[in-house]
Amino acid sequence: MMRKVAVLGATGSIGASALDVIARHPDSVRASVLAAGTRVDALLALCRTHRPEHAVIADPRLYACLRDGLRDAGLATEAHAGDAAIAALAAGAACDIVVAAIVGAVGLSSTLAAARAGKRLLLANKESLVLAGELLMRTAEAAGATIVPIDSEHNAVFQCLGDGTSTPTRITLTASGGPFRGWTRDALAKVTPAQAVAHPKWSMGPKISVDSATLMNKGLEVIEAHHLFRIPGAAIRVLVHPQSLVHAMVDFADGSTLAQLGLPDMRTALAVGLGWPQRISSGVSALDLLSQGGRLDFEQPDLDAFPCLRLATTALAAGGTAPAVLNAANEEAVSAFLQGDIGFLDIPDTISAVLDALPPARANTLDPLLDADRAARSIARSRIHARRRA
Ligand code: NAD
Ligand code: MG
């Protein structure tokens, strides 16, 4: 059976990996919707290669540019613009599978729309789980949507859990440690955006690369795992594993620990999601532990040098709006850091100050979460602005 796939965030790193795997299986999957934020030229190039039925650019000012580019290329692809169009296409008949690979909380509306429509959801957009995890999981369950996590650790847990009949007693998420593993706070104070995005093991978009350097990525992943696998935060452990070959470990009541191993390449996770429950080829070769150095090392993360991980686990324990506030403050701080407006250590300082300014409130619906997101961004921005002038 031919399955139609919507790739949201098609011009990004996960988008490229998804399209690579899709192109390897022309008889079973086809990219039918491609969506991107602002890079029209990159989106047009993808449309020429993959010939989707629909292409969407989030920025409405770029609609004419997309439409004319598609026409000039002689493509039958229909042009659309705006967040609402992305969400509508993700929920509609144009696709069976949605790869949610937009970066940031802006991805929530399309992720939720796909869940509500009962699609198979290949979920890379971890910020939507951090912002509204309970709501998203509840929505997916009610609609019968299958979520396959597209984060290497969570995809590993998904694989270890198999048919899902046994409940894990503990989950271990591994972390590469990022480019600054072993660095002191003094050294971290001076790091540049270029150093922070140069990840030693994974090639990823700029925002998640900075998150990996601060260890906030692992903090977001603890929250993500809590929602995906309905396991308390206290039963989720993080271990630094510099080789990035073991992606996660799952403990069971009988003393068994299952782990998933593989080369650090997101095409494996995407192939698991696209082929599930079958295994399909991804272009990633099997792991040869000897040629990878023959060692698997593990160590505790340094929470004093990398306070973001602790900020995230504390926000998870606090619950309510706290994870939404954490995520929004982090997005603003990372964006300011990438623009050269604040230093690396200002990232945790900003998040911590915003969390202090907005005590957690209960949130059973989307509105209080979106309000908390907005309030956190506004406080983070004014703090960043004041710091820039100082
Ligand atoms: P990226 O920066 O490479 O790509 C982001 C994509 O989102 C681009 O296609 C961009 O056009 C699109 N986008 C940005 N703003 C948008 C908007 N307002 N509306 C619509 N589209 C918009 O990022 P990435 O590394 O591919 O990461 C994507 C998501 O996947 C993130 O949530 C990230 O945390 C998660 N993730 C990535 C990896 C990885 O290996 N890259 C691994 C695990 C999880
Ligand atoms: Mg990950």
Side-chain angles (χ1 to χ4, degrees):
M1 181 179 109
M2 178 63 79
R3 287 209 162 89
K4 295 187 288 181
V5 187
V7 183
L8 314 182
T11 54
S13 164
I14 292 287
S17 294
L19 289 168
D20 180 287
V21 178
I22 290 168
R24 290 168 191 275
H25 301 279
D27 298 334
S28 55
V29 280
R30 184 163 62 80
S32 57
V33 178
L34 298 181
T38 53
R39 295 178 51 208
V40 184
D41 290 341
L43 181 59
L44 283 168
L46 293 175
C47 288
R48 284 192 288 270
T49 307
H50 300 280
R51 302 185 161 267
E53 283 143 41
H54 304 274
V56 206
I57 195 80
D59 185 341
R61 291 167 302 186
L62 298 169
Y63 170 72
C65 189
L66 176 63
R67 179 199 58 203
D68 297 349
L70 289 168
R71 189 196 52 213
D72 294 347
L75 292 169
T77 306
E78 201 178 316
H80 309 260
D83 294 338
I86 300 180
L89 284 162
C95 62
D96 311 298
I97 299 178
V98 174
V99 179
I102 292 174
V103 60
V106 289
L108 178 65
S109 59
S110 50
T111 302
L112 259 181
R116 208 177 286 125
K119 305 286 174 173
R120 183 190 300 182
L121 183 54
L122 274 54
L123 182 54
N125 176 229
K126 65 183 83 188
E127 295 89 353
S128 63
L129 269 174
V130 174
L131 169 56
E134 265 169 45
L135 183 72
L136 181 56
M137 296 306 294
R138 225 190 299 139
T139 304
E141 193 166 35
T146 301
I147 296 183
V148 182
I150 304 299
D151 204 342
S152 55
E153 302 75 8
H154 308 73
N155 191 267
V157 173
F158 177 85
Q159 293 186 56
C160 292
L161 291 177
D163 64 7
T165 47
S166 12
T167 310
T169 52
R170 183 171 68 172
I171 287 175
T172 302
L173 305 176
T174 59
S176 68
F180 310 131
R181 182 171 62 90
W183 287 37
T184 62
R185 276 184 72 81
D186 281 351
L188 289 173
K190 299 181 200 75
V191 309
T192 64
Q195 287 174 299
V197 298
H199 197 275
K201 292 290 177 189
W202 295 91
S203 153
M204 309 181 288
K207 191 262 177 179
I208 183 175
S209 296
V210 175
D211 285 346
S212 301
T214 62
L215 287 201
M216 179 55 92
N217 183 48
K218 218 43 60 177
L220 300 178
E221 289 183 359
V222 170
I223 301 173
E224 191 185 1
H226 161 72
H227 292 298
L228 284 169
F229 308 115
R230 295 193 165 78
I231 183 165
I236 306 168
R237 171 177 69 162
V238 171
L239 283 183
V240 172
H241 166 50
Q243 289 89 1
S244 296
L245 298 173
V246 177
H247 301 304
M249 293 179 263
V250 182
D251 299 347
F252 296 95
D254 58 6
S256 293
T257 295
L258 298 189
Q260 187 263 352
L261 288 78
L263 292 172
D265 187 322
M266 290 307 294
R267 290 178 301 173
T268 298
L270 286 153
V272 167
L274 289 167
W276 189 86
Q278 255 103 48
R279 296 269 178 187
I280 61 170
S281 63
S282 67
V284 182
S285 33
L287 171 61
D288 176 4
L289 276 173
L290 287 182
S291 74
Q292 294 296 314
R295 295 181 56 118
L296 300 173
D297 296 305
F298 299 91
E299 59 193 53
Q300 289 287 355
D302 180 350
L303 297 182
D304 295 323
F306 301 98
C308 282
L309 178 52
R310 190 183 278 132
L311 289 172
T313 51
T314 306
L316 173 59
T321 51
V325 168
L326 171 97
N327 178 68
N330 181 56
E331 286 189 24
E332 295 298 324
V334 169
S335 152
F337 170 71
L338 282 169
Q339 286 163 44
D341 289 340
I342 60 173
F344 189 74
L345 294 179
D346 293 326
I347 298 174
D349 286 357
T350 303
I351 301 164
S352 176
V354 175
L355 281 165
D356 286 345
L358 290 170
R362 281 170 58 90
N364 293 323
T365 56
L366 193 53
D367 283 340
L369 295 168
L370 295 178
D371 288 346
D373 175 281
R374 268 190 294 273
R377 285 177 201 274
S378 143
I379 295 172
R381 279 182 198 149
S382 46
R383 225 188 112 87
I384 289 162
H385 192 70
R387 177 140 311 206
R388 201 168 45 192
R389 282 179 312 176

